[in-house]
Amino acid sequence: MAGLQQRLDEFKTTFDSGAPPYNAPHEAIETMHRATAELKASGIEDRSLKAGDPAPGFTLFNQDHVQVASSDLLRQGPLVISFFRGHW
């Protein structure tokens, strides 16, 4: 089985080619590359949390629209955060 980096590289190559199954138009791919370059140039990448860095406390809504505090979850054990686009 390929490692994660290899799989990500393969995905990027396929996506950037505009080939199926993604069929992304060249203009959209260029826009995404430009936006990524702008974000990197802004320095935000250097200021973001890295794996293992402690995150500040926060409160967010869960999938059931109930507010959940990170401090409450951390009392139960390690915390993994996943951002979900929503139900379509």
Side-chain angles (χ1 to χ4, degrees):
M1 174 181 244
L4 178 59
Q5 187 60 57
Q6 182 182 349
R7 291 172 53 201
L8 289 170
D9 292 342
E10 290 169 0
F11 169 82
K12 184 179 186 316
T13 299
T14 302
F15 185 85
D16 284 352
S17 75
Y22 309 108
N23 303 314
H26 184 68
E27 299 80 24
I29 294 167
E30 285 181 345
T31 299
M32 288 188 285
H33 284 282
R34 219 174 16 259
T36 300
E38 289 171 7
L39 284 170
K40 286 185 176 189
S42 77
I44 196 169
E45 188 176 23
D46 298 325
R47 296 188 310 269
S48 66
L49 293 176
K50 308 297 184 269
D53 287 350
F58 58 87
T59 301
L60 295 172
F61 289 99
N62 69 10
Q63 70 278 4
D64 298 318
H65 203 68
V66 174
Q67 277 195 321
V68 180
S70 60
S71 57
D72 294 337
L73 296 171
L74 284 168
R75 280 194 280 279
Q76 300 172 34
L79 178 59
V80 174
I81 303 165
S82 174
F83 292 94
F84 179 67
R85 279 184 61 167
H87 301 283
W88 302 107

